[in-house]
Amino acid sequence: MKNFEMSRSPLVGFPRSNGHGRRQLGATPVSRQGNLIVQSSKTVSNAELRAKLIELIKAQGKPYGLLIDDIAGGFTFTGRGQPQAFQVLPLVVYKVFPDGRPDELVRGVDIVGTPLAALTKIVATGDTTEVFNGYCGAESGSVPVSAASPAILTSELEVQKKESSTDRPPILPPPAHDEIKTGGQQ
Amino acid sequence: MKRAERMAGLMLLLVSIGPGAAAGAQVPQDNDHTLQAMRDEMARAKTRLELKIPNIEQPVRPYYVEYRLLDVEIREVVAEFGTLFTSTHIRNRVMNVEARVGSYRLDSSNFVGEEGFRGFIGPSGQVGIDRDYDSLRQDLWIATDQAFKQAVETYSRKQAYLSSLARQSDIDDFSKAGPVQLIEPLETPDWTSRNWDQEARDTSAALRAFSEIHESRVTYYLVYATEYLLTSEGTEIRQNRRFAAIEAGMSALADDGVPLNHFYAAYAARPTGLPDVETVRKGLNIAGTELMALRAAPPAPDYTGPVLFEARAAAPVLAQVLGPAVNGSRPPISFSPVMEQLLSGLGGKSDWVTRLGARVLPASVTVVDDPGAKEFSGTPLIGGYAVDSEGVRAQKVTLVENGNLKGELMSRRPGPDSAQSNGHGRAAFLNDAKPTMSNLFFSSAETLPPADLKKKFLESCRAEKLSYCLVVREMDNPALSLLHQEDFSELLASYGGGAGSGDRLPLVVYRVYPESGREEMMRGSRIIGLNSRALRNLAAIGNDSFVYNYMQSQDNGFAGTALGAFGSARSGLPASVVAPSLLFGELEVRGARGEAKRLPLLPPPPMSAKK
C-alpha cells in the first residue's frame, strides 16, 4: 500500500490532491479511478494457468472449479455503515472439471466477498494483459474508467445463487418461430 | 388427432383475419407495416392466448385486446432574451397494449389496487421508429403476453376486493362500440416553411426590454403525430394529429420579494398557423409590461362582493370548473379510500353526474361540446378530431340546454347516467382515455354588450356600498407561467387541495372604483368557492364571446380534475372554450399569495433592448 487516489478532500497523511477528483456533470467530485493498470511480476501462460486451476481443484478435493470469462458489472459497499463487501455479476461462467470432461457453461451465479480477503488468495496471473473500458458509478455519478489486468487464478472465491424469478415464460411462441404461421410481411 | 386440431386452429385463424385483410387492402401504398404487424399478432392473441389456472377448469382468455401506437415527431426550440437555449428534433414511437379479462359487465379495468396504478411497467414502451414488421411484431408479442397476465392478476384482485363489499356497482365496466375503420394517408411533416430557431431568437428578444425579468423562456413546440389503434373488435385506425404552440413564461420579484410570474401562449392546428414574429413580440411585450405593472401594484386585500370576469378570464375559469363537471364516466373502484379523497380534493369528481334534467346553470345558458367545429367567427379552434382515442367517432354533445343538464361527455367507461361513449375518450400520449372536452361553447339567450355589463357591475358595486369592486382580466396558468418544476410543485402543494372546492388563481386583477371609474391593478389574489354551484347563479352574461385555446393536462392526478386545465404543449391535449364575459353577484377573494424571497443583492447587469 503506497498511496490513494486523491481529490481535494485531504486524508490524514495525504494532504494533496493527485488529480483524481472526478464527477459526472452536476455532482460533487470525489476521488475516483482513472486508468487502473494491474501488473504482476510472476506470470505464467494461460495454458499453464488452466493446468494450475485443475491442480488446485484436485488438491482441494472439489468436483469442479469455475472459469469466469466475462462479467456484466459489479459493485462494492465502501461506507462504514455497511459491511465492506463486493458483488460481481458474471455473464459467462464455465465449470471446469478435473477429469478432463469438456467445460460446461452455467448460469445464475454471482461472486461475493470482501476485497482484501479475496485479493490475497491470488496464486498466479496470466501473461496477457487485457483492457476493460467502461463507466463506473459512485457518489459523484458515472465516470468513464479503464482497467487493465492479466487473467487471475485465485485459490478460493465465494459464489452465490442469483436472484431468480417465478414469472411464467410467454404463453405463445415468438411470432417468427411459430409452427402455425399467422400473417407475415407482404 | 393432433394434426386435425392444428388444422382446426388454422381454419379459425383464417376466418378471424378475413375482415382485417380486407381492410388492409384499402391501405394506401406506403412503407408502413404497423397495422399489418398489429393485425397478425392480434389474430394470435384472439385465438390462442389463454392461461390455465390450477383448480379452475376453463382456461382464462382475454375478451378484449387493444393495440395503441403513437408515432410522434417533435420540433422544440427554446430561447431566452434573444439567445437559443435548446433546439431539438426528435421522433419516437411508443406503444401500449391493453388486454381485458372478464366481460363488458365486469372486467379487469377500473380498479386501483393496493399497488396503485401499474400503467407503465409491462405492456407500454418505446418501439422502433422504422415502421417495420418483424421488430414490432416481436414487441407486440411480449407486450400482449404481459398485458394479458397483468389483466388476469388484476381481475382476480378486483374480484376478491369486490366480494368484500356489501353492494356492488350496477354500472358496466366497458361499453360496446361498433368497429370503425379509418386509415388516413401518412402525412409528411412540414418543418421548413419557417426558420423556427430564428423566430424563437427574435421573439424572445422582446423581453430584453425588461431588465427586471429574472428569467424567461420562449418555447416553440411543433408536433406531428400518427395515432394507430387496432382492437379485437375490428377497429382499425391510422389518423394524423398535429398541433403547434408558442408558450412563454417569465418571472420577477416584487420590491417586497414576492415572486411574480406571467405567461404568453398561442396555439395553432399546424405550424404554419402560428402567429408571426411581430405578433408574438407584441404579445410578449404586453405580458412583460403587465408583469412590470404587477411588481409595482399593491398586494390584494381580502374581498367579498361582485366580480366581473372579462371574456379572456371567463373562458379559462369555465375550463377549470366545467372540465370535471361534464365528465360522465364513473371513477375507478379504489382499494383505498385515500385515492377517492385525493380525487375529490382536486375536483376530479363530477358534481353534475346523476342530476340529468336538473338545472345546473342559469336558465338562459346552453353548453355544447363539438369536436367537429373548426372555427368560431373566423377564429380557428384547436380541440377538434374525427375519432377519439378509443376508436369511437366524435359526436357533438349538448351538455346543458336552457340551464338544464342534458348530457355528459362519455368515454367507453360507462357512468351512472349513460352507458355509451359519445366519442370523448381522449388521451394525449397513450394515457388512459378519459372523457375530455374538445371545443366547448358556452352561450346564453340573454346577454349584455360589454358596456352594459360593466354598468350593471358598477351598479351592483354601488348597491353593495363597496368603495371598489374587482375585475379579472386574465387567469393564471401556472403550468406556463412558472418556469421551474419545483415552483409548480410548491404551488400545487399549497393550492391544489382547494381546486376541488373552487379555489382559482387570477393573474391580472383590477380594482374599479364605482364613483370615479378609476382602475388600479393589484397582485397576488386567490378566488375562493368558484365551483359549479357558483356558476348556477351568474348575475349577467356578456355577448362578447372569446375563443380560448389551451392545452389540457394528462398528467396523473390532473386529468379530469380542475387542474386538468393547467396544461402545456408538452403534456397537453388541445382544447378550446368559447365563452363571453361573466358577472358574479358575489365571490370571495383572498389576498396575497406567495412567500417573499430575498431580493438579489446586485442590480441586473446592463442589457440593451436591441440585440
Side-chain angles (χ1 to χ4, degrees):
Chain A
M1 181 70 213
K2 289 273 188 223
N3 206 341
F4 291 104
E5 287 165 352
M6 295 297 299
S7 68
R8 288 185 66 179
S9 299
L11 290 176
V12 177
F14 298 89
R16 303 190 74 84
S17 168
N18 48 28
H20 281 78
R22 306 183 70 196
R23 63 164 165 186
Q24 188 180 357
L25 197 67
T28 308
V30 300
S31 64
R32 300 290 294 273
Q33 180 184 330
N35 298 318
L36 181 81
I37 298 161
V38 178
Q39 285 169 326
S40 165
S41 53
K42 205 175 104 187
T43 61
V44 296
S45 74
N46 282 352
E48 282 173 77
L49 209 56
R50 190 185 163 87
K52 275 180 184 286
L53 169 66
I54 289 167
E55 261 172 48
L56 275 176
I57 298 168
K58 285 180 179 158
Q60 293 183 11
K62 300 276 185 197
Y64 56 83
L66 292 182
L67 173 69
I68 294 157
D69 195 46
D70 196 5
I71 63 155
F75 50 89
T76 312
F77 298 112
T78 54
R80 291 188 185 179
Q82 293 148 321
Q84 295 228 345
F86 71 84
Q87 186 166 352
V88 174
L89 316 169
L91 263 184
V92 181
V93 181
Y94 294 94
K95 276 184 185 172
V96 176
F97 299 99
D99 56 8
R101 264 184 288 164
D103 296 350
E104 185 190 335
L105 187 64
V106 293
R107 63 183 161 93
V109 292
D110 289 340
I111 304 167
V112 290
T114 51
L116 294 182
L119 293 180
T120 49
K121 301 270 166 59
I122 295 175
V123 296
T125 64
D127 55 4
T128 322
T129 297
E130 288 195 46
V131 175
F132 162 83
N133 289 320
Y135 276 79
C136 171
E139 292 86 340
S140 64
S142 187
V143 298
V145 296
S146 294
S149 162
I152 289 169
L153 175 63
T154 79
S155 61
E156 201 176 278
L157 207 56
E158 193 177 334
V159 297
Q160 67 179 22
K161 278 189 181 170
K162 265 189 204 299
E163 219 180 3
S164 70
S165 147
T166 53
D167 286 352
R168 281 186 200 233
I171 298 165
L172 295 175
H177 299 98
D178 195 350
E179 282 180 34
I180 307 169
K181 287 284 167 232
T182 313
Q185 192 164 351
Q186 287 149 18
Chain B
M1 187 61 207
K2 208 165 182 186
R3 194 174 181 84
E5 266 172 23
R6 192 169 294 161
M7 280 298 286
L10 203 84
M11 291 297 285
L12 238 160
L13 226 87
L14 283 171
V15 171
S16 67
I17 63 168
Q26 304 160 8
V27 180
Q29 278 307 304
D30 53 41
N31 240 355
D32 187 357
H33 300 287
T34 309
L35 285 172
Q36 197 195 333
M38 287 179 169
R39 220 173 275 141
D40 293 346
E41 199 52 35
M42 181 66 78
R44 291 208 306 167
K46 275 172 78 170
T47 49
R48 288 162 58 201
L49 200 62
E50 60 176 37
L51 206 53
K52 289 188 181 70
I53 294 172
N55 305 323
I56 293 178
E57 208 146 294
Q58 285 290 320
V60 185
R61 309 168 63 100
Y63 82 93
Y64 175 81
V65 180
E66 167 190 288
Y67 295 152
R68 282 202 287 166
L69 192 144
L70 181 68
D71 186 324
V72 276
E73 203 168 339
I74 301 171
R75 177 95 173 86
E76 185 184 25
V77 183
V78 185
E80 182 186 38
F81 299 131
T83 312
L84 276 195
F85 223 74
T86 56
S87 173
T88 57
H89 185 166
I90 53 164
R91 178 145 171 263
N92 257 325
R93 266 159 89 86
V94 281
M95 173 182 79
N96 180 67
V97 174
E98 190 186 356
R100 288 170 182 251
V101 171
S103 65
Y104 289 91
R105 174 82 197 83
L106 177 71
D107 71 16
S108 47
S109 73
N110 295 343
F111 181 61
V112 186
E114 250 175 316
E115 67 290 300
F117 279 118
R118 324 195 357 173
F120 289 91
I121 301 172
S124 294
Q126 219 167 318
V127 299
I129 62 171
D130 285 339
R131 302 189 185 104
D132 87 311
Y133 181 87
D134 289 322
S135 82
L136 179 59
R137 236 194 117 177
Q138 193 83 0
D139 289 337
L140 284 167
W141 164 54
I142 292 295
T144 311
D145 193 83
Q146 292 183 4
F148 171 54
K149 286 172 183 163
Q150 217 175 73
V152 172
E153 190 189 323
T154 309
Y155 187 51
S156 66
R157 278 176 198 274
K158 183 176 172 182
Q159 281 177 310
Y161 175 67
L162 288 177
S163 67
S164 75
L165 298 182
R167 201 176 55 86
Q168 300 198 0
S169 170
D170 49 7
I171 303 167
D172 285 2
D173 269 330
F174 199 42
S175 65
K176 295 202 165 104
V180 172
Q181 273 103 29
L182 172 73
I183 295 169
E184 294 183 352
L186 282 179
E187 183 175 21
T188 313
D190 170 27
W191 308 110
T192 51
S193 57
R194 283 157 68 172
N195 183 345
W196 301 107
D197 285 351
Q198 197 51 43
E199 286 200 20
R201 282 194 193 95
D202 292 346
T203 52
S204 66
L207 295 175
R208 292 170 65 88
F210 307 97
S211 60
E212 288 295 343
I213 290 181
H214 289 190
E215 263 186 290
S216 69
R217 293 277 186 286
V218 177
T219 303
Y220 282 67
Y221 199 80
L222 320 175
V223 179
Y224 282 91
T226 312
E227 282 181 336
Y228 300 84
L229 172 72
L230 193 121
T231 74
S232 54
E233 295 169 328
T235 289
E236 285 194 19
I237 310 265
R238 180 176 78 184
Q239 63 176 336
N240 300 306
R241 260 201 321 138
R242 65 204 79 65
F243 69 84
I246 305 173
E247 294 175 337
M250 55 201 82
S251 68
L253 289 183
D255 287 341
D256 59 2
V258 171
L260 296 167
N261 296 275
H262 208 315
F263 71 98
Y264 165 86
Y267 299 102
R270 51 178 71 241
T272 48
L274 286 175
D276 62 10
V277 170
E278 258 335 287
T279 312
V280 178
R281 282 182 65 98
K282 241 178 240 166
L284 287 171
N285 199 46
I286 292 170
T289 308
E290 278 181 347
L291 182 60
M292 292 304 105
L294 281 170
R295 283 187 71 233
D302 290 354
Y303 168 90
T304 305
V307 178
L308 175 63
F309 284 79
E310 292 188 354
R312 272 185 85 78
V317 164
L318 290 177
Q320 290 172 40
V321 178
L322 297 186
V326 298
N327 175 349
S329 293
R330 64 187 259 194
I333 301 165
S334 175
F335 188 77
S336 68
V338 180
M339 276 296 293
E340 301 236 346
Q341 275 171 19
L342 195 79
L343 212 64
S344 42
L346 297 172
K349 280 195 142 175
S350 172
D351 304 327
W352 285 4
V353 164
T354 69
R355 298 180 62 199
L356 273 185
R359 192 168 78 79
V360 290
L361 287 176
S364 66
V365 172
T366 293
V367 180
V368 172
D369 192 280
D370 184 6
K374 295 273 184 293
E375 52 151 57
F376 178 80
S377 325
T379 308
L381 303 173
I382 60 169
Y385 55 92
V387 173
D388 76 1
S389 301
E390 294 178 314
V392 179
R393 282 197 192 280
Q395 293 167 29
K396 180 174 172 177
V397 180
T398 300
L399 298 161
V400 176
E401 198 172 51
N402 303 324
N404 295 325
L405 185 65
K406 277 277 173 269
E408 288 149 17
L409 298 185
M410 298 301 300
S411 67
R412 288 187 67 180
R413 179 184 296 164
D417 295 332
S418 170
Q420 288 303 312
S421 168
N422 48 31
H424 280 81
R426 301 182 71 195
F429 296 108
L430 305 185
N431 319 54
D432 242 9
K434 295 195 177 73
T436 308
M437 302 188 321
S438 60
N439 302 310
L440 186 93
F441 299 85
F442 181 100
S443 58
S444 172
E446 293 162 31
T447 59
L448 292 175
D452 294 353
L453 193 66
K454 178 116 186 239
K455 225 168 106 189
K456 186 164 182 184
F457 163 62
L458 292 175
E459 272 164 22
S460 56
C461 190
R462 278 186 213 103
E464 296 265 341
K465 298 200 170 22
L466 291 163
S467 63
Y468 64 84
C469 288
L470 300 184
V471 175
V472 182
R473 297 250 150 89
E474 185 151 17
M475 296 297 291
D476 196 1
N477 177 356
L480 297 179
S481 64
L482 296 178
L483 296 172
H484 301 287
Q485 185 57 41
E486 310 92 82
D487 296 338
F488 190 49
S489 312
E490 205 176 294
L491 176 93
L492 287 179
S494 72
Y495 159 81
S501 57
D503 282 16
R504 309 285 163 229
L505 301 174
L507 184 65
V508 181
V509 182
Y510 282 86
R511 276 188 255 216
V512 183
Y513 295 86
E515 299 318 323
S516 59
R518 186 164 63 89
E519 297 191 344
E520 185 181 87
M521 188 189 263
M522 47 179 237
R523 66 173 149 98
S525 53
R526 176 189 293 200
I527 298 164
I528 309 288
L530 208 177
N531 50 27
S532 59
R533 271 176 299 283
L535 284 178
R536 208 166 165 266
N537 301 312
L538 281 169
I541 296 166
N543 68 353
D544 50 348
S545 281
F546 171 81
V547 174
Y548 172 62
N549 287 329
Y550 71 109
M551 291 285 163
Q552 300 175 96
S553 172
Q554 287 274 295
D555 292 350
N556 246 342
F558 275 48
T561 76
L563 302 177
F566 294 158
S568 70
R570 217 166 290 195
S571 67
L573 199 52
S576 300
V577 170
V578 179
S581 300
L582 301 175
L583 175 60
F584 289 81
E586 184 175 281
L587 278 179
E588 196 181 332
V589 180
R590 295 263 166 84
R593 64 173 208 248
E595 284 295 310
K597 291 187 175 154
R598 262 175 189 264
L599 294 169
L601 298 174
L602 297 177
M607 175 160 63
S608 62
K610 278 247 158 65
K611 198 196 172 225

